[in-house]
Each structure stands twice: as C-alpha cells, then as structure tokens.
Amino acid sequence: PLKPRVRPERSKQFYYDDGAAVIIVSRVLYRLHPSILGKRSPILGTMFTLPQKGERSGTLLASAEGFDDDHPILLPYPHFTIQKFDHLLTYLFVGPSSYPMDDQFLLNILDLSHFLDIADGVEFVIQTFDARTEFNAVLKFRLAHKYRIMKWLEPALHEMLKWSGAVFTQQDAIDLGFHVFYEIISTKSKVEELWKGMAYNTPELVRGILCPVRRYEKCKAVWEDVWWSELGRHILHPGWSTAGQLVKEQLNETMIPGVCPGCQLATV
C-alpha cells in the first residue's frame, strides 16, 4: 500500500504570520518577509520579483508559488538543508546574542551567504574566524579555496609547510584532496633539501672594496668556520623562517670577529 503523504510542518521560529512568502526546505515551511530578504540578498530579491505560476495582472492568485502552505516556493537540496537555512535565518533575523558561534553555524552561514550573494554574511564569518586565536590551517585553506577568500590562502599554505609530516592526519589529507596534499608534501620535501644545501654549503664571502687580497683569505676562512659552527645550523632549526630572519638581523647588527666589516656588509 502507498504510504500516506507526510504534510510539511511549519517552522517554530521562522513562520511569521505577517510574512508574505511561504518557502519550503525539505519538509519545513517558512513564512518570511520578501522585502527584508531581498535587501540582504540580490539573488533572493530577484527570485521574489519574478512572475510566479498562477500570477495574473499583478494579482497573486491562490495557486501562485509562495502564496500559502499548499503552494510554497521550493529551495532545493543540496544547496539548502533545514539546518543551513535555520542558521542563515538566525543570522539574518535574530540578534548576535543568540548565535551559536560554533564551526557548523559559521560554515553554514558562509556557504549560503556565498551562494546567495549575502556580502555581510560572508564578511561576518571571515571576521569571526580571523578573531580566533586558533584557526586550523587545513580548514582555512579549504574555505579560502572554495569561497575565494584570497587573503587566507598564503597564510594557510605557509602554516602547513611548517608542519612535519606527522602533524597531518588522514582526515587532513581527505579534506585537502589528493592533489593539494601531494603538492604540499612535495614542496615541503624540496624546501627541506634546500635548507640542508644552504646549511652545508657556505655562501661565498664577497670581498669588500677596501679589503686587501691577503686579508680577504683570512676573512674567508673565518667566515666559513663561523658559518659551519654557528650560522648554518640555524637554517635547520624547526622554526627556520623566524630563525633565518634572526640570523640576518644579527649579521646586520653584529660584526663577526676576524671578518672585516667591508666583507661582511658586502655579503649580507
């Protein structure tokens, strides 16, 4: 026997009696204010101004989409789910004190705001994540790539390149996708080889204009000894980017005993 048709239920929070448009997402009905939604989303604004089925001479007939519970406007899956739409409406119609502020709430707002061109919704999520003391680099990269948040791309990649291979989880690899994960690991390997080469191979000491040839040979010997025993190992430090910058600053501020200032300044 055929199963009886399940009648959609009205949203307990977002079915306004004075609303002018009935929307259905999955099995839940929403009665909302088109003018308010249209101001926040150009896409929704356009949708509400399009002629609906059953409309005649500017008069909304009983059979028009959005007129009542029996003729709602359908927002299709998978772009719209009950949870996503509830979260978006919470952001649009309820005060910040009621925002859950967990990751799922923010991700749902970002997804629908991006899809519906709600600029302030996208900016709200960006600012919220930026204000956090911890923002997972994998998640940051995924969101930056999917929603074209360009200012997050470089910091996320830079952070992941500092991770050891053991830091990445299997879920990280799945979330990033094989191609991106492979490129990150491959780049890390190339950078590590470059570090080792820089640490092992002493850069050539440039002879200062006022440094005699005989003195230059002594400067060069001291430079090679100091590089091997002191400077080169900083490049292999786990915090190589910070340590490398510190080495350069120290070389600019401190003279190496046995190396004439002209040679050191010309090299640095």
Side-chain angles (χ1 to χ4, degrees):
L2 295 175
K3 293 183 179 180
R5 182 181 177 184
V6 178
R7 186 173 180 81
E9 61 183 44
R10 293 179 174 181
S11 169
K12 295 179 180 179
Q13 188 174 7
F14 301 110
Y15 191 96
Y16 299 110
D17 292 336
D18 60 345
V22 179
I23 293 172
I24 186 169
V25 176
S26 185
R27 63 181 184 280
V28 177
L29 295 166
Y30 303 84
R31 192 176 186 92
L32 304 169
H33 305 91
S35 60
I36 297 177
L37 291 174
K39 289 180 180 179
R40 306 294 287 276
S41 165
I43 293 176
L44 288 178
T46 300
M47 182 185 74
F48 289 127
T49 56
L50 289 174
Q52 302 294 327
K53 294 179 181 178
E55 190 173 3
R56 181 178 62 197
S57 303
T59 302
L60 198 63
L61 302 181
S63 61
E65 291 179 343
F67 180 79
D68 57 23
D69 289 6
D70 294 323
H71 306 89
I73 298 172
L74 173 66
L75 297 183
Y77 180 88
H79 287 301
F80 295 89
T81 66
I82 296 170
Q83 184 192 66
K84 279 186 180 182
F85 201 52
D86 279 350
H87 283 169
L88 179 66
L89 295 179
T90 297
Y91 169 72
L92 294 175
F93 290 106
V94 185
S97 60
S98 299
Y99 295 169
M101 299 303 286
D102 55 25
D103 280 1
Q104 193 59 61
F105 176 74
L106 295 172
L107 295 179
N108 285 340
I109 292 177
L110 179 60
D111 188 65
L112 284 187
S113 292
H114 182 266
F115 183 70
L116 296 172
D117 196 19
I118 303 176
D120 61 282
V122 173
E123 187 59 30
F124 165 75
V125 175
I126 291 174
Q127 291 182 2
T128 302
F129 274 119
D130 281 343
R132 291 184 172 183
T133 54
E134 294 186 5
F135 186 4
N136 180 268
V138 173
L139 177 60
K140 180 184 288 187
F141 180 85
R142 284 176 53 215
L143 298 181
H145 183 263
K146 183 175 182 179
Y147 300 110
R148 301 295 186 267
I149 306 173
M150 305 312 295
K151 72 172 187 174
W152 282 354
L153 274 176
E154 184 177 346
L157 282 171
H158 184 74
E159 181 65 26
M160 288 188 287
L161 286 173
K162 292 192 295 184
W163 292 359
S164 68
V167 172
F168 287 96
T169 66
Q170 185 178 37
Q171 189 59 49
D172 288 337
I174 293 172
D175 290 342
L176 289 169
F178 172 78
H179 177 71
V180 173
F181 183 68
Y182 171 80
E183 289 297 330
I184 290 173
I185 296 301
S186 177
T187 302
K188 280 179 56 62
S189 177
K190 293 174 183 177
V191 170
E192 287 169 2
E193 288 300 316
L194 179 62
W195 296 346
K196 294 174 183 177
M198 291 175 61
Y200 183 80
N201 299 301
T202 306
E204 181 182 358
L205 182 71
V206 179
R207 185 162 70 92
I209 298 175
L210 301 180
C211 182
V213 175
R214 291 184 180 179
R215 172 63 189 274
Y216 172 68
E217 292 301 323
K218 294 181 180 180
C219 289
K220 186 178 178 181
V222 173
W223 171 258
E224 290 176 350
D225 180 64
V226 171
W227 181 269
W228 181 250
S229 62
E230 299 291 336
L231 302 178
R233 62 189 179 88
H234 284 286
I235 298 176
L236 300 177
H237 190 279
W240 67 273
S241 59
T242 303
Q245 182 62 31
L246 183 60
V247 168
K248 185 175 181 179
E249 292 174 358
Q250 289 177 340
L251 285 173
N252 281 324
E253 297 172 359
T254 306
M255 294 295 104
I256 299 175
V259 177
C260 73
C263 290
Q264 181 172 331
L265 292 174
T267 302
V268 176

